[in-house]
Amino acid sequence: MAAVKKGVLSNGTAVWIVHGTVPTLTKMACIKALALGDDSTAEVDTTCLEEMDTKTSDYGLTTPGEGSIQIDTDPKNLSHMTLLQLASEKAKIHVYVGWSDGVSEPILTGSDIELPETRTWSHFEAIVRKGPPVFATDALVNHTIPMKRQTEVTEEFKVAP
């Protein structure tokens, strides 16, 4: 019996950010972890005064979640230094996560981004801020860069082989 593939591994995931007033696409090298955070949705009470038994509600606005990007900080890694600089400026960035089900890369033309259909993508806009470095025994110095997403996560699933 053939083995059934059960999903997409995290290993092989690649992350790009678009940043700057003149949009620049930077491939992040050696991200250790990426957490996108959970969104929450407000409840709007729609209960009428005449109601005697049960409250009713509708969903309101969605508040995008807070996540983080973790790196083992390497001063010789230009993408790490770019991310830390953007975080110290509390900059807004666009994050493009290419799942491991493909190897194609996004293409930036002016301010437009093209995401190839040969890979699954998650993308969003976020504001980043700098966190302190962490020093621990038998570990690399690392930073966890907090992100406050400004949009929901959009997923575009792979359609081509």
Side-chain angles (χ1 to χ4, degrees):
M1 176 182 259
V4 176
K5 186 171 179 180
K6 298 182 180 177
V8 179
L9 288 171
S10 291
N11 293 55
T13 298
V15 177
W16 290 263
I17 60 173
V18 174
H19 55 93
T21 52
V22 175
T24 302
L25 179 66
T26 299
K27 183 174 184 182
M28 297 304 304
C30 201
I31 296 289
K32 297 297 286 187
L34 177 66
L36 305 186
D38 293 328
D39 296 347
S40 61
T41 303
E43 275 191 49
V44 177
D45 189 339
T46 59
T47 310
C48 295
L49 287 176
E50 297 89 6
E51 179 61 46
M52 299 289 290
D53 296 319
T54 305
K55 286 183 95 174
T56 58
S57 63
D58 281 334
Y59 287 116
L61 296 174
T62 298
T63 301
E66 295 188 28
S68 62
I69 300 174
Q70 184 180 356
I71 57 174
D72 286 335
T73 312
D74 180 357
K76 294 178 269 178
N77 181 325
L78 184 58
S79 69
H80 288 189
M81 297 300 101
T82 298
L83 181 61
L84 290 172
Q85 180 61 41
L86 291 165
S88 70
E89 296 168 0
K90 296 183 178 91
K92 186 181 289 186
I93 63 174
H94 295 265
V95 180
Y96 297 90
V97 181
W99 294 26
S100 69
D101 61 356
V103 295
S104 53
E105 300 193 358
I107 300 164
L108 180 67
T109 306
S111 60
D112 296 325
I113 194 98
E114 178 188 337
L115 301 175
E117 295 180 343
T118 55
R119 183 177 208 163
T120 299
W121 298 93
S122 296
H123 55 93
F124 55 92
E125 190 175 287
I127 297 172
V128 289
R129 64 181 169 81
K130 192 171 179 183
V134 175
F135 301 87
T137 304
D138 288 331
L140 297 172
V141 176
N142 67 77
H143 279 86
T144 299
I145 308 297
M147 299 185 295
K148 173 61 178 148
R149 281 192 292 107
Q150 301 299 293
T151 63
E152 294 182 57
V153 176
T154 300
E155 293 171 338
E156 297 181 29
F157 292 96
K158 179 179 180 175
V159 295

